[in-house]
Amino acid sequence: MLIKPPPDLPPSEITPRKLFEARRSFLAHTALGLTAGAALWHGLPVHAASRLDGRPSPHSTAEPLTAHKAVTGYNNFYEFGTDKADPARHAAKMQVRPWTLRVEGLAARPRSFDIDDVLKLAPLEERIYRLRCVEGWSMVIPWLGFPLAAVLKEVEPLGSAKYVEFVSHYDPAIMLRRPVLDWPYREGLRLDEALHPLTILALGLYGERLPNQNGAPLRLVVPWKYGFKSAKSIVAIRLVEHQPATAWNLAAPQEYGFYSNVNPQVAHPRWSQASERRIGELRKRPTLMFNGYAEQVAGLYRGMDLAKEF
């Protein structure tokens, strides 16, 4: 994996949670709503067609948010290039309407969803999650989405389904043709991980529809795992019996395990995972087990050796 240092964003570019809430509340009462509030606070143009509203979630962290321009301008989306700025420069080429999501495999009622049908499957929630990249940097992002379980329950997984595979969009006409990874990008979860209430399908961030560089029009967010586990621009979700092959595990199995849970006690072969650089902060901070979500998810891995099954 190509490692590049985080950008030097000053602490002033972190949005304090109280200020974000106050601005959102004010704009909601003036009919601009949550979406306009988030965008206007960061000096962004707000277009009615891009707005999304989400109800607050008890699963959200109260930590300060990472600046919008960092969230949307510092990305790993290798289909559009390996530099952190490449996705923002090139992802606009990708057409995200119309978009079809296939949910297939070991299911009683496999089906395809238009993106607008996906938006109607469950009420949107604002999930403010920590994001920890395997490269040693982190962010706090206000996603808009709903539990992945809502989609899976629509298709009724069979008893033989043990894992869930995610396949990302790949168009060689506009995306990287070099075999940096085995395209299309694929990721996977155990079924119990996929059904966990913290696992969401995100369709927006900062009160607006997902920007292309962040995985539009829908992406996975699994906050206790390293960021590469959260597949972007998903076109297929497959219920399968056996552990699926995943992009980074195929590329370097000794470095990127199937589970890839955030674990400060298990170092990457080439660097420590004990600390991280929160984008917008000057000092490193200790990395938390399961990215701070141990209370909610540790039970999923009871009895497992997390150093071996990393």
Side-chain angles (χ1 to χ4, degrees):
M1 178 180 282
L2 300 176
I3 304 302
K4 304 207 174 170
D8 294 324
L9 292 172
S12 61
E13 300 222 5
I14 301 175
T15 303
R17 177 66 179 161
K18 289 183 178 178
L19 293 178
F20 176 74
E21 291 286 359
R23 182 68 167 170
R24 179 173 64 179
S25 176
F26 169 77
L27 288 161
H29 283 91
T30 57
L32 288 174
L34 166 64
T35 304
L40 288 174
W41 176 253
H42 285 267
L44 303 168
V46 178
H47 305 289
S50 70
R51 296 176 186 170
L52 287 179
D53 290 328
R55 63 189 184 187
S57 169
H59 297 300
S60 290
T61 179
E63 295 176 48
L65 307 179
T66 301
H68 183 282
K69 74 177 184 180
V71 171
T72 59
Y74 188 76
N75 308 103
N76 284 326
F77 199 163
Y78 278 28
E79 289 89 331
F80 292 107
T82 56
D83 186 84
K84 293 291 187 290
D86 282 343
R89 283 195 290 256
H90 304 303
K93 303 172 187 175
M94 180 172 62
Q95 297 297 315
V96 297
R97 291 289 193 285
W99 192 275
T100 300
L101 172 67
R102 306 188 315 275
V103 187
E104 55 197 22
L106 300 175
R109 301 170 58 211
R111 59 174 290 195
S112 295
F113 298 87
D114 178 79
I115 185 60
D116 293 316
D117 294 330
V118 174
L119 281 162
K120 299 171 185 175
L121 286 177
L124 291 180
E125 302 176 27
E126 181 191 56
R127 295 284 186 102
I128 302 175
Y129 280 165
R130 291 177 288 273
L131 168 71
R132 172 60 155 84
C133 181
V134 72
E135 297 171 342
W137 53 268
S138 63
M139 296 182 178
V140 177
I141 301 174
W143 302 104
L144 286 162
F146 56 78
L148 173 63
V151 175
L152 298 179
K153 288 175 181 177
E154 283 285 317
V155 302
E156 300 177 11
L158 300 179
S160 54
K162 307 299 181 187
Y163 293 88
V164 185
E165 181 184 30
F166 304 88
V167 182
S168 294
H169 175 65
Y170 180 67
D171 180 354
I174 60 169
M175 292 176 168
L176 203 63
R177 296 184 185 181
R178 269 191 302 129
V180 176
L181 292 169
D182 185 11
W183 311 121
Y185 193 91
R186 298 172 190 269
E187 256 307 331
L189 298 173
R190 272 186 351 212
L191 182 58
D192 58 345
E193 296 176 316
L195 292 173
H196 193 279
L198 289 183
T199 303
I200 66 169
L201 273 186
L203 296 105
L205 57 78
Y206 262 115
E208 59 189 4
R209 294 183 189 272
L210 277 177
N212 284 17
Q213 63 265 32
N214 291 96
L218 77 165
R219 61 169 291 164
L220 185 65
V221 178
V222 191
W224 71 92
K225 294 179 178 287
Y226 291 116
F228 68 86
K229 292 293 293 182
S230 295
K232 301 178 179 74
S233 302
I234 298 170
V235 294
I237 297 175
R238 294 176 182 148
L239 290 146
V240 297
E241 183 175 1
H242 302 291
Q243 181 176 302
T246 60
W248 280 107
N249 185 245
L250 285 171
Q254 73 283 4
E255 298 187 8
Y256 309 104
F258 175 78
Y259 287 98
S260 289
N261 294 316
V262 177
N263 188 342
Q265 300 170 22
V266 176
H268 185 280
R270 291 182 279 128
W271 59 84
S272 170
Q273 296 288 17
S275 64
E276 65 200 60
R277 165 83 185 283
R278 177 68 52 83
I279 300 300
E281 295 182 352
L282 298 178
R283 298 179 182 276
K284 285 192 171 184
R285 57 169 63 206
T287 289
L288 303 174
M289 187 66 192
F290 295 113
N291 203 24
Y293 299 97
E295 184 176 347
Q296 298 97 319
V297 305
L300 293 172
Y301 310 102
R302 189 173 290 112
M304 290 177 57
D305 185 337
L306 298 182
K308 292 181 179 179
E309 298 183 84
F310 62 94

